[in-house]
Amino acid sequence: MTRTPQDALHTAAYVTPAGADWLASASASPRGVQALWAGAPTAAVTLPCGTAFDVISMDALFGRRVVGRLWTDGPGTGPVAARGGRVMLFATPGTAQRLPALLGWEEWGETAPPLLCYGRGDAVTVPPLFPPDPDQPEAAPLEYGARETGARESTPVPSPRWLVAPDVRKPWLPGPEVLLWACVRAARAAGGDLVGTAVTSTPAVFPG
């Protein structure tokens, strides 16, 4: 499902029941994930990648530029989240494997900040269905059959939040070619503001 910034304002804060069904479908036991949410709808949950979605994690500034490019000149985005100074774009399964290779062939691909690509065999913490009460202590992510990929930092990482929350059972997701297009154009527009670094599909710390 293609989104515009205006559309996103209506569902950025919470996940609809249909969107929750889609997220839960990433697990080998969707009913188990739904049961966790039934008891704690404001808790983040760790889900595996590679079946319902892959996740491409970007530096916050570059990620905003990529999302803006997708909205203004491209087909829009699927669900988008933010956590710990990074933007998490949900993409089609297989994107995590193909995008680094595609960027490696692009002249401007080397100017993009590091992308952390999470696909089959990886897991990420997704934001809660509803924003937590700011007056309540932040709960640890719930895990159901998957643990978040990468080393955990010694300092707490803020809970993820939705920028564009899923609201349908089968949301439209960008694939590697679409994200390649957006990343290259965002890098060109930024010019010398970006420092060239390698793109990797091997996570270090997620999110950084």
Side-chain angles (χ1 to χ4, degrees):
M1 180 178 180
T2 301
R3 294 295 195 81
T4 67
Q6 291 76 19
D7 294 334
L9 290 176
H10 298 291
T11 57
Y14 65 91
V15 179
T16 65
D21 288 343
W22 172 70
L23 287 171
S25 72
S27 170
S29 179
R31 290 185 178 180
V33 174
Q34 294 282 18
L36 289 178
W37 275 327
T42 60
V45 173
T46 301
L47 294 174
C49 300
T51 53
F53 54 78
D54 282 1
V55 171
I56 309 300
S57 174
M58 306 178 180
D59 168 80
L61 177 59
F62 185 67
R64 287 196 297 269
R65 288 172 172 161
V66 170
V67 170
R69 183 66 63 172
L70 287 167
W71 271 335
T72 56
D73 300 325
T77 69
V80 182
R83 186 191 185 198
R86 300 189 70 84
V87 171
M88 303 156 56
L89 278 79
F90 287 69
T92 57
T95 297
Q97 180 178 3
R98 294 187 58 196
L99 182 59
L102 292 175
L103 278 170
W105 285 95
E106 285 284 343
E107 175 185 358
W108 283 87
E110 295 182 355
T111 68
L115 307 185
L116 304 182
C117 303
Y118 299 86
R120 186 172 295 276
D122 299 322
V124 298
T125 298
V126 302
L129 302 186
F130 300 96
D133 186 338
D135 296 329
Q136 297 295 323
E138 189 171 297
L142 301 177
E143 298 177 347
Y144 193 91
R147 290 186 178 273
E148 186 174 324
T149 303
R152 295 186 182 274
E153 295 183 337
S154 57
T155 57
V157 177
S159 178
R161 61 186 177 89
W162 291 110
L163 302 179
V164 180
D167 61 352
V168 294
R169 291 178 185 273
K170 293 183 179 180
W172 180 85
L173 300 175
E177 293 81 6
V178 171
L179 289 179
L180 171 69
W181 172 88
C183 286
V184 169
R185 279 154 183 77
R188 286 176 177 170
D193 293 340
L194 300 177
V195 178
T197 50
V199 179
T200 177
S201 59
T202 303
V205 175
F206 179 75

